[in-house]
DNA sequence: GACTTTGTTTGACACTTGTCAAGAAATCTC
DNA sequence: GAGATTTCTTGACAAGTGTCAAACAAAGTC
């Protein structure tokens, strides 16, 4: 949690007590989690600070007390979110003892997060699109994109190891391919929640073997 | 142009003269083109009807005269846009006489539209993200996605023909892969306009050969 | 040329938005 | 427990939003 910092935090030149700054951080996290819930449901465009406050246990004044402005809050949310999302497959990568096991575990985790955390993924693709128009979001989005790319690259590297082969595409390419499939699934999930996870699995199974070669 | 219809158009039960309804359609198109320009620059969230009107030769009242409401306008814009975008590679597909020629032409056209029509592509990815939150956009977005999928599938099919091979992935998968790479390029173009086109070309060259096999 | 229809302008409405500030309440310090 | 500090509530603000309607202009109809 402490890894996430805010522009407002920089203004706390005197963190009188450790318990004090810690409490501030706790509030920020609570607000961010509440905000993320609202953002995931409504999307960036339709989410106002008041809406975030209403869906939380705080009033809209508190939001502005802990965050300089809207962008500061959103930015903090994004950074808070990223710390949770990019390590999703680490366990699978570490424990898998065969290529097939890795693929199975990877697909299971991916379809699971598709179903369980749909709002978060919708929000991520929304924010990434917004970052094309709102420069202030770009650094955070780029950082997350990089984390996700590395995540995919770790998986593919391990997959190559286990199958005694080598990746046949570079890291950005591998990420773009997998991400394209996943985004398609996230967008399609709204219209077809039943079939989408299986379709995603099927399509990843078509693609993954092509990304490595002896 | 006539293919694009609007909810407001349905209310015109009496199209007195052909020249009349045609003029209406012309106004709608003019407004849509102006709106698309603004939308491409500002994105969906930050574009208001007044902003659209200000960037056009009309007043904000006219917008509401020709379109029932904001969604009606946006929806019309999206449908108008789609008629232009999905046939971009048709000529290349038809005239290419070898796999290499097809790939070269395809890559040239794709990097060209990436550079020349960046705002339109940014808007498209923005709108697709918005459609996850705004149900009314979903049908139009789905329709365009389907068109684009078919477009990619035509290219891949022709590529397979010319190289005496068969596609090794199905149409939705092929589209998701290529689209993932293209979206990555669109997002990255803002930060790095110089290198992005070449990177996209490079990555597509890594991938395309893997999508067919004898 | 009067009259109806069609198109456009203008201004207003109700509402939401982000931001802020003044003061109440809670907490901490001594 | 008094005083100082932090935290929170409340209400207000200016600006912007989508929507609409009444007045005005243009064009077509007889």
């Amino acid at each position: 949690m402490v890894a996430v910092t805010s522009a407002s935090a920089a203004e706390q030149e005197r963190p009188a007590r450790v318990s004090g700054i810690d409490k501030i951080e706790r509030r920020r996290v609570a607000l961010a989690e509440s905000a993320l819930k609202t953002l995931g449901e409504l999307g960036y465009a339709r989410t106002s600070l008041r809406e975030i406050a209403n869906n939380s246990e705080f009033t809209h004044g508190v939001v502005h007390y802990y965050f300089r402005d809207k962008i500061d809050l959103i930015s903090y949310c994004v950074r808070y979110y990223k710390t949770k999302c990019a390590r999703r497959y680490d366990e699978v990568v570490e424990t898998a003892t065969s290529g097939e096991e890795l693929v199975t575990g990877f697909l299971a985790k991916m379809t699971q997060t598709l179903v369980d955390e749909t709002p978060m993924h919708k929000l991520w693709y929304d924010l990434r699109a917004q970052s094309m128009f709102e420069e202030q979001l770009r650094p955070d989005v780029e950082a997350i994109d990089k984390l996700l790319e590395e995540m995919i690259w770790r998986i593919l590297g391990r997959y190559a190891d286990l199958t005694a082969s080598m990746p046949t595409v570079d890291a950005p390419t591998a990420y773009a391919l997998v991400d394209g499939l996943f985004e398609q699934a996230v967008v399609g999930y709204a219209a077809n929640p039943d079939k989408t996870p299986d379709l995603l699995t099927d399509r990843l199974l078509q693609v993954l073997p092509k990304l490595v070669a002896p």
Side-chain angles (χ1 to χ4, degrees), chain A:
Chain A
M1 296 185 191
V2 199
V4 190
T5 60
S6 158
S8 308
E11 293 161 354
Q12 297 292 119
E13 73 279 322
R14 256 317 165 81
R17 301 160 305 286
V18 183
S19 75
I21 194 180
D22 215 46
K23 193 184 172 200
I24 289 182
E25 212 48 37
R26 231 183 290 274
R27 270 279 185 283
R28 284 222 179 85
V29 168
L31 281 167
E33 276 177 348
S34 189
L36 279 172
K37 231 172 47 189
T38 309
L39 282 164
E41 277 167 25
L42 303 181
Y44 176 85
R46 259 160 295 285
T47 302
S48 68
L49 294 183
R50 279 176 168 79
E51 193 68 30
I52 289 174
N54 280 350
N55 291 11
S56 78
E57 49 180 336
F58 312 100
T59 58
H60 69 274
V62 180
V63 177
H64 202 258
Y65 181 77
Y66 286 100
F67 296 97
R68 182 210 310 262
D69 54 25
K70 192 183 181 180
I71 287 286
D72 189 28
L73 168 61
I74 304 278
S75 184
Y76 184 92
C77 287
V78 173
R79 275 173 292 170
Y80 175 70
Y81 161 73
K82 94 174 165 194
T83 66
K84 305 186 125 185
C85 71
R87 295 270 149 196
R88 196 170 280 136
Y89 306 99
D90 281 9
E91 198 204 327
V92 179
V93 169
E94 280 158 22
T95 62
T97 58
S98 73
E100 197 179 346
E101 193 184 332
L102 177 59
V103 168
T104 312
F106 170 60
L107 289 177
K109 268 263 184 299
M110 183 170 250
T111 52
Q112 186 199 325
T113 186
L114 169 66
V115 172
D116 294 346
E117 305 172 291
T118 323
M120 260 331 92
H121 298 298
K122 283 162 64 173
L123 175 61
W124 159 244
Y125 289 116
D126 185 12
L127 285 175
R128 191 167 69 178
Q130 293 312 310
S131 79
M132 296 188 295
F133 302 101
E134 188 112 34
E135 285 190 50
Q136 300 181 71
L137 286 176
R138 226 169 281 173
D140 294 321
V141 166
E142 270 177 32
I144 297 190
D145 251 334
K146 197 176 181 62
L147 279 178
L148 295 173
E149 179 187 309
E150 289 164 358
M151 176 185 84
I152 294 295
W153 190 238
R154 283 196 302 273
I155 296 168
L156 190 60
R158 182 82 178 124
Y159 180 58
D161 280 354
L162 290 171
T163 56
S165 55
M166 295 280 291
T168 55
V169 294
D170 56 28
T173 305
Y175 172 52
L177 299 180
V178 175
D179 190 59
L181 285 165
F182 191 70
E183 182 176 8
Q184 181 187 61
V186 173
V187 173
Y189 189 75
N192 215 335
D194 297 330
K195 307 208 165 175
T196 301
D198 287 343
L199 286 173
L200 173 61
T201 302
D202 174 54
R203 287 164 194 174
L204 277 166
L205 285 174
Q206 292 180 51
V207 173
L208 287 181
K210 304 192 198 313
L211 303 186
V212 295

